[in-house]
Amino acid sequence: MSETTTETVQDNVQEVTPNSQNETNETPDVNSFIAESKKYRSRAQEAEAKLNELTKNLEKQEEEKLVQQNKWEELATKRQSELDSIKSDYERLMAAEEAYKEELLSALSEGERESFKDLTTTQLKVITDKINNQSQDVVATSSTPARSSNPSNKDWVNMSSEERRSNWGSILQSYVKR
């Protein structure tokens, strides 16, 4: 009885092993999925481009048809509705650009504001950036001179261990500067 049990167990082990090897060989290749995804994406983009082109052509044909049929009023109302939809966005963007230009001008002095008020926003941005960078180079300081970390100008070899500890950062900085 023990012989038959060991044979069946060995048969089961042998049956399971080939199946697991086949599964590992059949693991999906990530690169193939990426390539397939890119292919589908490019097809979708091409289809969208064709759709946009066809709708534009269809609109042109409708307009030409209206012109040929002398339906100027319908064409004028269509153009007016397009213009109205664009006009609100245009006014909003112009107000935002004007506010940005005023903000840039407010960073300048009075004389510079008068000189630069006729420039475009991009030109004004470049000029204000240059002016602000130049003015940031000069740092305001008090009239007191800088305190030296080693006022007695002792060499670190001649200092006591306590003085070395208190001035260790400046000693290191002096060697970093060299």
Side-chain angles (χ1 to χ4, degrees):
M1 176 137 167
S2 66
E3 283 182 28
T4 58
T5 346
T6 54
E7 287 179 15
T8 57
V9 169
Q10 288 177 353
D11 289 340
N12 287 339
V13 169
Q14 289 176 354
E15 289 177 8
V16 170
T17 306
N19 290 340
S20 64
Q21 288 176 352
N22 289 341
E23 289 176 10
T24 56
N25 290 340
E26 294 175 8
T27 57
D29 185 22
V30 175
N31 291 333
S32 66
F33 285 138
I34 291 173
E36 187 177 352
S37 173
K38 287 182 179 179
K39 180 178 76 172
Y40 288 137
R41 183 176 179 198
S42 66
R43 284 178 54 192
Q45 288 174 343
E46 288 173 7
E48 288 174 0
K50 284 183 182 179
L51 178 66
N52 288 337
E53 183 179 332
L54 290 174
T55 54
K56 287 180 183 177
N57 288 340
L58 185 62
E59 288 176 4
K60 282 183 183 179
Q61 287 176 357
E62 287 177 11
E63 289 177 8
E64 289 174 2
K65 191 176 185 182
L66 289 175
V67 169
Q68 288 175 354
Q69 295 174 355
N70 290 329
K71 295 188 178 179
W72 298 104
E73 291 141 5
E74 289 180 30
L75 192 60
T77 56
K78 183 178 177 182
R79 296 273 188 218
Q80 187 62 39
S81 64
E82 289 176 2
L83 190 68
D84 291 340
S85 67
I86 293 172
K87 190 174 184 180
S88 63
D89 289 338
Y90 174 76
E91 290 172 351
R92 182 179 52 84
L93 290 173
M94 287 304 293
E97 184 178 1
E98 193 62 35
Y100 183 61
K101 188 173 181 178
E102 288 298 320
E103 180 182 328
L104 290 173
L105 285 171
S106 67
L108 301 173
S109 66
E110 285 294 323
E112 291 171 336
R113 283 184 203 160
E114 293 299 318
S115 301
F116 299 140
K117 70 179 179 181
D118 295 329
L119 295 177
T120 64
T121 308
T122 53
Q123 292 171 335
L124 188 60
K125 173 75 172 135
V126 170
I127 289 174
T128 55
D129 285 345
K130 285 184 180 180
I131 291 173
N132 289 337
N133 285 339
Q134 289 174 354
S135 64
Q136 290 176 357
D137 291 341
V138 178
V139 178
T141 60
S142 64
S143 60
T144 60
R147 183 183 74 84
S148 174
S149 59
N150 187 4
S152 61
N153 285 332
K154 278 186 174 179
D155 190 16
W156 68 273
V157 178
N158 299 331
M159 288 183 185
S160 68
S161 61
E162 196 171 305
E163 288 176 319
R164 261 188 247 130
R165 274 192 210 110
S166 65
N167 294 322
W168 189 248
S170 61
I171 293 168
L172 289 177
Q173 287 298 322
S174 68
Y175 283 101
V176 170
K177 290 179 183 176
R178 290 182 188 175

